[in-house]
């Protein structure tokens, strides 16, 4: 067990270092070769570009690992409170390293990427993950939360298109916007009933009362806090998607009307 705890610490530290290297070095190096428009960005835009590149990489790694656990880790799925948290701890350790790395970058580059909602989001997640890594509590719920990462690549891609000057009515922008809204809804909003139904099924059981008060508080507080922000973000995304589709449809309707008049 001692060796495994050291492994978890090593994974978290390695994750932190990896994401710092990605931000400071690899992202710019790759971006200049993949997207010529990167060189034309302002210094502030390059900082956010690198931050979002790192965010996308983290989301893909952790999201795929999350799906694997949900499908193949029987111990966690059968006992969501006290099941063997080994694989979940590894995944959470990767995310913990990323969150700490991102928090430092946010504070250091506040004028470029500072956002109070992201600070609250990261701190709430770290508060909950402390109990997962430290005591192995609630592995199923911790892993289930990481499903939300699948929406991150599309959210970041929307920003990439915008900063590169793609018109909002362009097909790549519209396709990504619709995909972003759909995926965000599926992995952050539509799954809420499943998550809370599982939570309520645990409430009042022996497994629930074995949880320390801090663990219960972290679980419930972070869940509510994160979902309030998810609903707010979903509202913004839905409004943005509606505006883009409406903007796209309007020229087509005008063209049809002009055709009828002629």
């Amino acid at each position: 067990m001692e060796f495994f705890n050291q492994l978890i610490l090593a994974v978290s530290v390695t994750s932190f270092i990896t994401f710092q290297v990605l931000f400071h070095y690899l992202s710019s190096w790759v971006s200049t070769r993949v997207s010529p428009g990167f060189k034309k960005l302002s210094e502030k835009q390059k900082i956010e570009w690198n931050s979002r590149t790192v965010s996308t990489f983290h989301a893909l790694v952790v999201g795929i690992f999350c799906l694997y656990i949900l499908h193949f880790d029987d111990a966690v799925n059968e006992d969501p409170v006290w099941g063997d948290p080994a694989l979940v701890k590894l995944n959470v350790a990767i995310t913990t390293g990323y969150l700490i790395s991102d928090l430092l970058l946010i504070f250091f580059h506040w004028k470029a990427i500072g956002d109070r909602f992201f600070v609250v989001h990261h701190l709430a997640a770290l508060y909950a993950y402390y109990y997962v890594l430290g005591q192995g509590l609630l592995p199923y719920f911790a892993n289930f939360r990481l499903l939300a990462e699948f929406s991150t690549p599309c959210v970041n891609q929307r920003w990439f298109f915008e900063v590169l000057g793609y018109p909002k009515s362009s097909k790549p922008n519209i396709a990504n916007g619709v995909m972003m809204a759909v995926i965000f809804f599926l992995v952050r909003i539509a799954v809420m009933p499943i998550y809370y139904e599982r939570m309520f099924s645990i409430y009042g059981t022996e497994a629930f009362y074995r949880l320390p008060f801090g663990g219960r508080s972290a679980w419930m507080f972070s869940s509510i806090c994160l979902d309030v922000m998810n609903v707010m973000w979903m509202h913004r995304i839905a409004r943005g998607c509606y505006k883009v589709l409406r903007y796209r449809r309007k020229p087509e309707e005008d063209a049809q009307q002009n055709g009828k008049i002629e």
Side-chain angles (χ1 to χ4, degrees):
M1 181 62 71
E2 184 63 29
F3 171 77
F4 186 74
N5 289 336
Q6 292 177 357
L7 175 63
I8 294 300
L9 178 60
V11 170
S12 297
V13 172
T14 302
S15 172
F16 173 85
I17 294 173
T18 299
F19 290 120
Q20 285 288 315
V21 171
L22 282 172
F23 176 85
H24 289 289
Y25 303 104
L26 293 181
S27 175
S28 296
W29 185 84
V30 173
S31 297
T32 54
R33 288 157 176 77
V34 173
S35 177
F38 177 78
K39 295 181 180 179
K40 301 177 183 178
L41 302 180
S42 67
E43 196 60 34
K44 181 178 178 180
Q45 289 173 326
K46 287 180 180 178
I47 290 172
E48 184 163 357
W49 178 292
N50 291 334
S51 174
R52 289 179 179 274
T53 300
V54 172
S55 170
T56 297
F57 178 77
H58 162 262
L60 293 174
V61 171
V62 170
I64 292 171
F65 200 180
C66 169
L67 282 181
Y68 175 84
I69 294 171
L70 283 175
H71 282 86
F72 299 108
D73 195 334
D74 295 334
V76 167
N77 292 320
E78 292 174 4
D79 187 352
V81 181
W82 297 99
D84 180 11
L87 290 179
V88 174
K89 277 189 173 185
L90 289 174
N91 208 17
V92 170
I94 295 172
T95 295
T96 298
Y98 165 74
L99 291 175
I100 296 174
S101 171
D102 200 47
L103 273 177
L104 289 180
L105 294 173
I106 288 174
F107 290 136
F108 190 76
H109 299 288
W110 185 263
K111 291 183 178 180
I113 56 176
D115 189 310
R116 288 175 297 173
F117 284 115
F118 277 108
V119 172
V120 172
H121 172 274
H122 287 11
L123 291 177
L126 286 171
Y127 175 51
Y129 289 156
Y130 164 77
Y131 288 94
V132 180
L133 296 178
Q135 302 179 37
L137 307 180
L138 305 162
Y140 172 87
F141 297 99
N143 187 68
F144 195 93
R145 276 291 168 191
L146 292 176
L147 276 176
E149 293 300 328
F150 277 112
S151 65
T152 300
C154 286
V155 173
N156 289 336
Q157 188 60 48
R158 175 178 178 272
W159 185 88
F160 291 144
F161 281 146
E162 180 180 342
V163 80
L164 289 174
Y166 279 69
K168 290 185 177 180
S169 58
S170 65
K171 290 183 179 179
N173 223 329
I174 291 178
N176 180 74
V178 172
M179 188 181 301
M180 176 181 67
V182 171
I183 294 177
F184 194 99
F185 176 77
L186 290 176
V187 301
R188 292 180 183 252
I189 306 300
V191 296
M192 284 185 188
I194 300 173
Y195 181 87
Y196 286 103
E197 188 279 330
R198 197 76 189 267
M199 177 187 282
F200 289 135
S201 72
I202 300 300
Y203 183 81
T205 64
E206 180 185 353
F208 175 83
Y209 286 117
R210 285 171 56 199
L211 289 170
F213 176 77
R216 283 185 241 168
S217 301
W219 176 27
M220 295 179 180
F221 168 77
S222 64
S223 295
I224 294 172
C225 181
L226 293 174
D227 283 331
V228 167
M229 285 188 286
N230 283 333
V231 171
M232 293 172 61
W233 285 329
M234 183 72 249
H235 178 67
R236 292 182 186 178
I237 290 172
R239 286 184 60 188
C241 186
Y242 172 75
K243 287 180 180 179
V244 171
L245 291 175
R246 185 180 179 184
Y247 179 82
R248 173 75 176 182
R249 192 181 302 117
K250 192 173 186 302
E252 296 177 354
E253 293 175 349
D254 292 343
Q256 291 176 357
Q257 290 177 359
N258 292 335
K260 289 179 181 179
I261 293 174
E262 294 174 358

